[in-house]
Amino acid sequence: NAISKIPINNEQFNSFIETGKNKIIQYYETKCNDIITKSESLVMMQNYEEALGLLMTVPEEISSCYLNIQEKSIEVFKAYQNQKCNRQIQEAKTTLSANNYNGTLEILSQIDPSTSCFKEAIAIMKNAEEKIDVEEKKEWELKMKVYNDNVELEKLRISAIKDIAKNGGDISSFV
């Protein structure tokens, strides 16, 4: 309530806001190199999310620093994407070794094409696609065998029923 009662045209209020804004800009101008250095150390520890978060705290208004921050953010993001890609490749290989071809393809489909390991992902994907075709073919053949066996069993049942009917319902000769 107190904030909503402050008149926005008040000279002291506008001066306070402007002074605060200038102090924030001055802070980031003096700390720009420190922020970049800290983000680099976070990257070395593979803490990419925190490094990106730190870099994103710098406002656009800091013209002397913002271009460097943008370039560093792109570097950090690419490093993050490559780390994520390597994790996904390992997960895909594990899933592939468990003969879960659909799961492997699902994991690999989430990999960013701009990452350094995308070519390896494509190779694993082709391998899984070849195996999924073989697996699906085996599965289909197994289903057809079961179906044919069930059809043969049904034919035997029908034949037995016909024979029972011919013998006047006497099933003693079939037991």
Side-chain angles (χ1 to χ4, degrees):
N1 283 339
I3 291 174
S4 67
K5 291 179 183 177
I6 297 173
I8 58 172
N9 295 331
N10 184 322
E11 183 80 26
Q12 289 176 329
F13 177 72
N14 288 335
S15 174
F16 171 76
I17 295 294
E18 201 58 40
T19 302
K21 181 179 173 183
N22 289 335
K23 285 184 179 185
I24 291 169
I25 289 172
Q26 184 180 9
Y27 170 82
Y28 279 107
E29 285 176 344
T30 59
K31 295 292 185 179
C32 182
N33 290 332
D34 294 341
I35 292 171
I36 290 174
T37 302
K38 175 140 179 154
S39 74
E40 288 171 346
S41 68
L42 289 168
V43 167
M44 287 182 198
M45 293 185 291
Q46 296 185 352
N47 195 345
Y48 303 107
E49 292 94 345
E50 190 174 340
L52 278 172
L54 177 63
L55 292 169
M56 294 293 105
T57 62
V58 178
E60 281 182 57
E61 290 79 15
I62 317 301
S63 58
S64 62
C65 176
Y66 194 70
L67 186 60
N68 293 338
I69 293 292
Q70 279 186 317
E71 290 172 6
K72 185 55 71 177
S73 296
I74 291 168
E75 286 177 32
V76 172
F77 184 72
K78 285 181 179 179
Y80 169 73
Q81 286 292 86
N82 287 330
Q83 180 200 40
K84 184 179 174 185
C85 181
N86 289 327
R87 264 196 323 257
Q88 288 171 311
I89 291 286
Q90 289 304 324
E91 186 181 349
K93 286 179 178 178
T94 302
T95 308
L96 182 63
S97 68
N99 297 330
N100 182 352
Y101 307 115
N102 287 326
T104 302
L105 293 173
E106 176 66 29
I107 293 166
L108 294 172
S109 69
Q110 298 172 11
I111 293 178
D112 185 343
S114 67
T115 58
S116 61
C117 64
F118 187 67
K119 287 181 182 178
E120 184 179 3
I122 293 295
I124 296 170
M125 197 178 291
K126 286 181 181 176
N127 184 17
E129 285 173 346
E130 289 171 6
K131 290 184 178 181
I132 200 167
D133 292 341
V134 170
E135 276 301 306
E136 285 178 346
K137 185 177 179 183
K138 284 181 185 177
E139 201 173 298
W140 176 254
E141 288 172 356
L142 178 64
K143 285 179 182 177
M144 288 307 292
K145 182 174 178 2
V146 169
Y147 173 76
N148 289 333
D149 289 349
N150 285 339
V151 168
E152 286 301 315
L153 183 59
E154 192 63 30
K155 286 180 183 177
L156 287 173
R157 286 182 185 145
I158 291 171
S159 176
I161 291 170
K162 285 180 184 176
D163 289 342
I164 291 171
K166 286 181 187 174
N167 289 334
D170 182 19
I171 61 168
S172 58
S173 59
F174 295 103
V175 181

